[in-house]
Structures are given as structure tokens and as C-alpha cells.
Amino acid sequence: MLRFVRFADSLSAWFGKTFGWLIMLMTIGVSYEVVVRYVFNAPTSWSLDVSFIMYGTLFMMGGAYTLSRGGHVRGDFLYRLWPVRVQAAVDLLLYIIFFFPGVTALIFAGWKYASRSWQYGEVSVNSPAGIPIFQFKTVIVAAGILLFIQGIAQVLRCILAIRDGVWTEAEEDVEETEELLIREQTEKAHAHEA
């Protein structure tokens, strides 16, 4: 079980981090549009669509990674007070009742939309540039499959937590800026004391 959890976590992390680079491309694209629009008075017809496509792709492809790191929004005000085994049992039930049916529907609906879109080479109707969007609709299916794989890993985490009484955490790979700053300040304070 633990091997699959680690595999799913690393797969989700790879896709999340890889697609995370879209932020750089979005920044360059939006900056380019601002310069050509306001400095040269020559706006593009494609920039807004491309920004939406990149943002949507980033958002969807980062979902499994966020799930693996426990980053999705939840009502923790009661949940965090429960024992680990109760948390895991509730999570397991919710994954079975809500998560898997929802993600399965996402995959099948996404497949339907993507296949239709590829058949007629769908382009965006929101801009005169006619940006192709059939590849973007394929991202819906890919994101759903990644979420499904990560969901299986989360179910296995729940089973392990029910059995062992502790959560199996994902390997640390990033650190929140606030935590980094607090650690740096603490280290500086200790250095001044010494």
C-alpha cells in the first residue's frame, strides 16, 4: 500500500511541478500584451485566450498534487479535533461517496467534450484569433485521471491511518514562505543570543 501511495504522490508532484511552470509563461504572455497594448497601441487578439487556457491547465493539472499535499480547502474547525482514526474513517467514507463518483463523472464528461472538440477542431469563440482549444479540453480527462490515481492513494492513506493511528504524510518538497521566514527569524534570534 505504501509503495502505491509514494508512487501516486511522486506522479502528482511531477505533473504539478511541471505544469507549475505555466505561471512563468503566463507572466511573459501577459507582460507582452501589456507592453504592446499600452506602449505600442497594438493589442493582440490571442493573449486573453492563451492566458485563460494556461491558467485553466495549471489549475486542473495541479489538483492531484494539491490533494497529495493536503492543500484543498476543508472544514477543519471540527475535523482537526477528532482522533486520527475518526478522521481517516470519515475521509474514507467521503472519498467513496463523493470524491470517486465526482472524479469519474469528470473523466467521462471530459472524454465526451474532448473527443467532440478534436473531431471538429474546436477553436475559441471568444476572440477573433480563433485559438484552438481542443487540446485544452483533453486536459480535463488527464486531470481527472491524475485525481483518480491520487484518490486511490488517499484511500490507502485512510486505511493505513485507521490501522496505525497516524497519517502517512507526503514527502516534503516545498516549504511555505511564512514558515521559511519564521525559521530564518528564529535562527537569527538564536544567533544574536549566542
Side-chain angles (χ1 to χ4, degrees), residues 5-187:
V5 170
R6 297 290 179 227
F7 161 75
D9 285 351
S10 62
L11 181 70
S12 296
W14 187 87
F15 275 98
K17 290 176 183 178
T18 300
F19 280 88
W21 285 99
L22 286 176
I23 288 184
M24 296 301 293
L25 292 175
M26 285 172 48
T27 303
I28 292 167
V30 170
S31 299
Y32 172 80
E33 175 62 20
V34 168
V35 169
V36 299
R37 178 178 298 256
Y38 295 108
V39 175
F40 300 110
N41 197 26
T44 64
S45 60
W46 52 267
S47 179
L48 185 64
D49 278 342
V50 171
S51 294
F52 283 159
I53 289 169
M54 285 193 285
Y55 178 71
T57 301
L58 170 66
F59 181 80
M60 288 191 291
M61 295 304 286
Y65 177 60
T66 305
L67 180 61
S68 75
R69 298 309 190 259
H72 288 289
V73 175
R74 66 180 330 142
D76 278 349
F77 65 96
L78 288 177
Y79 178 90
R80 64 189 166 111
L81 302 174
W82 298 340
V84 169
R85 286 187 170 95
V86 173
Q87 290 176 350
V90 169
D91 280 0
L92 180 61
L93 184 65
L94 293 176
Y95 276 112
I96 292 167
I97 293 174
F98 296 110
F99 180 84
F100 285 110
V103 170
T104 302
L106 175 72
I107 293 168
F108 284 112
W111 181 267
K112 183 174 75 172
Y113 293 134
S115 62
R116 269 196 226 143
S117 187
W118 278 89
Q119 284 174 356
Y120 59 84
E122 186 176 7
V123 297
S124 173
V125 296
N126 295 324
S127 78
I131 304 293
I133 59 171
F134 50 87
Q135 74 285 3
F136 177 59
K137 290 198 174 179
T138 306
V139 170
I140 299 169
V141 179
I145 291 169
L146 284 172
L147 277 169
F148 198 92
I149 292 168
Q150 188 61 51
I152 293 169
Q154 297 305 106
V155 163
L156 295 177
R157 269 194 173 91
C158 292
I159 292 168
L160 290 169
I162 291 169
R163 184 187 72 187
D164 302 334
V166 293
W167 284 108
T168 304
E169 298 293 331
E171 293 179 13
E172 291 293 324
D173 62 346
V174 294
E175 187 173 9
E176 294 290 333
T177 305
E178 293 83 9
E179 292 173 13
L180 179 64
L181 292 172
I182 289 170
R183 191 179 73 235
E184 286 177 1
Q185 291 300 322
T186 305
E187 289 171 0

